[in-house]
Amino acid sequence: MIKQKEKIIFEVSNLKKYYPVRKKFFSRQKQYAKSVDGVSFAIKENSILGLVGESGCGKSTIGKTILGLTSPTGGKVTFRDKIIFDVENNISISNGEMTKLRSEMQIIFQDPYASLDPSKSVGQIVSEGIKKHKIVSKDKVEEKTREMLELCGLDATSIFKYPHEFSGGQRQRIGIARALAMNPKFIVCDEPTAALDVSIQSQILNLMLDLKDKFGLTYLFISHNFSVVKSFCDEIAVMYLGQIVEKGEADEVYNNPKHPYTKALISSVPIQHPGEEKERIILKGSMPSAVDIPSGCRFHTRCPYKTERCMNETPTWKTLDNETGVACHLY
Ligand code: SF4
């Protein structure tokens, strides 16, 4: 649960990330895929914000853009009151400052197979950042590496082994140890359990919760899986086609969803208890292309409640009595 007087560690205002796409023949107009199109949110220190939505809605692009792994098209991001970039005011952190901050902001990737270099030993993989950012003195690097692996539930002798000698869950533990070795404050977790078996998923999530409490970490947790987000996160932001359409405390969003898209996503979560009844809302079609965004409310092509107004007028963000924010003409 989010408590009062918690400090904001990460703030994102009107973030945009557009990718140029090949122009149509004879067309003079430049075309863009608007992967992220005006997204704002703040994350409270030592909390977990879940970013949830269908594949291709822009949630992973947000993770990469706020960490400076891809350049933004617009917007402003601050981390612990330090401006990382403010595109409209031409401000961007220097490379030197970014290198210093880099250790405090880490990422855990979805695919534990692709994210670890198979030619390097686990010791090399986990110690790489420790050495680069001089987290400890040279003579303490191995000790720190072993300590991180043990904290993540792996044997310290794993430093001599190679990624192919581990299972998917163990590889994800190596990825977490690599991120943790940098003494981070904030971690983007980009679908960290999506590639794992259900039985392993909960072990990894429990490990991440333990580490969060032990080290006072803050997570941005990106997932397409509403039931995982609901059980793991303090707050939830629901994304559709490059924008946040609803945001609020996790229990409130899950038990009392407002936006028709949120309702549809939750209706597809498998029943959790015997006797629980749920009406499945089947959405028509698939999410439109980010190159050809529908007018008005961008969800209107699939919304069972759409009216004439929805097709012409973009809904503005409204904060309701329960502090949930929603962008929909129904509110
Ligand atoms: Fe549906 Fe209209 Fe609300 Fe969009 S604004 S979600 S189309 S009711």
Side-chain angles (χ1 to χ4, degrees), residues 226 238 245-246 253-254 257-267:
F226 221 117
V238 182
V245 295
E246 179 163 357
V253 172
Y254 189 79
K258 294 288 181 287
H259 197 281
Y261 180 59
T262 313
K263 290 181 184 179
L265 286 184
I266 291 171
S267 83

Side-chain angles (χ1 to χ4, degrees), residues 259-260 297 299-300 303 305-307 310 315 327-330:
H259 197 281
C297 170
F299 185 57
H300 86 249
C303 181
Y305 307 102
K306 79 163 179 212
T307 62
C310 303
C328 171
H329 292 312
L330 294 174

Side-chain angles (χ1 to χ4, degrees), residues 8 27 46 57 85 198-199 213 220-222 227 267 272 311:
I8 299 299
S27 169
N46 200 212
C57 69
F85 57 78
V198 176
S199 58
D213 291 343
L220 175 64
F221 188 83
I222 296 167
S227 58
S267 83
Q272 320 245 315
M311 293 186 264

Side-chain angles (χ1 to χ4, degrees), residues 107-331:
I107 185 164
I108 299 168
F109 294 100
Q110 171 179 356
D111 189 346
Y113 292 87
S115 66
L116 304 177
D117 184 342
S119 68
K120 289 183 176 164
S121 70
V122 169
Q124 286 173 308
I125 290 169
V126 176
S127 65
E128 206 165 29
I130 303 176
K131 290 181 199 156
K132 187 175 171 201
H133 291 268
K134 300 187 173 65
I135 304 290
V136 292
S137 58
K138 272 187 190 166
D139 58 324
K140 295 266 192 293
V141 171
E142 187 176 324
E143 186 188 325
K144 172 93 178 168
T145 306
R146 287 173 181 264
E147 186 196 339
M148 292 300 109
L149 289 167
E150 283 183 335
L151 269 170
C152 292
L154 293 162
D155 196 298
T157 56
S158 306
I159 56 169
F160 303 113
K161 296 184 181 170
Y162 285 79
H164 74 268
E165 297 177 68
F166 294 88
S167 67
Q170 287 171 324
R171 287 185 205 211
Q172 197 53 293
R173 287 175 190 270
I174 297 166
I176 295 170
R178 173 174 59 183
L180 195 67
M182 307 290 280
N183 296 343
K185 296 274 177 276
F186 173 73
I187 303 182
V188 172
C189 314
D190 189 2
E191 302 258 19
T193 58
L196 305 176
D197 289 346
V198 176
S199 58
I200 308 293
Q201 281 183 13
S202 55
Q203 292 173 16
I204 296 294
L205 293 173
N206 284 334
L207 169 68
M208 290 171 67
L209 281 180
D210 288 348
L211 296 173
K212 171 187 169 284
D213 291 343
K214 196 172 175 91
F215 297 100
L217 302 172
T218 304
Y219 294 144
L220 175 64
F221 188 83
I222 296 167
S223 178
H224 68 281
N225 187 329
F226 221 117
S227 58
V228 170
V229 169
K230 175 230 169 198
S231 58
F232 189 70
C233 302
D234 299 299
E235 289 187 295
I236 296 176
V238 182
M239 274 197 80
Y240 186 75
L241 202 50
Q243 293 187 334
I244 291 176
V245 295
E246 179 163 357
K247 180 174 177 288
E249 286 205 13
D251 287 345
E252 189 59 41
V253 172
Y254 189 79
N255 295 322
N256 193 14
K258 294 288 181 287
H259 197 281
Y261 180 59
T262 313
K263 290 181 184 179
L265 286 184
I266 291 171
S267 83
S268 67
V269 172
I271 285 171
Q272 320 245 315
H273 314 285
E276 185 183 334
E277 284 185 16
K278 198 186 268 189
E279 188 197 340
R280 178 88 201 263
I281 303 169
I282 311 273
L283 291 177
K284 280 186 286 177
S286 52
M287 195 165 60
S289 158
V291 180
D292 207 3
I293 290 173
S295 61
C297 170
R298 48 187 74 191
F299 185 57
H300 86 249
T301 54
R302 302 170 80 192
C303 181
Y305 307 102
K306 79 163 179 212
T307 62
E308 190 79 24
R309 183 183 176 203
C310 303
M311 293 186 264
N312 303 311
E313 195 184 318
T314 305
T316 53
W317 188 256
K318 290 177 199 79
T319 304
L320 310 177
D321 291 345
N322 59 8
E323 297 298 310
T324 298
V326 63
C328 171
H329 292 312
L330 294 174
Y331 302 92

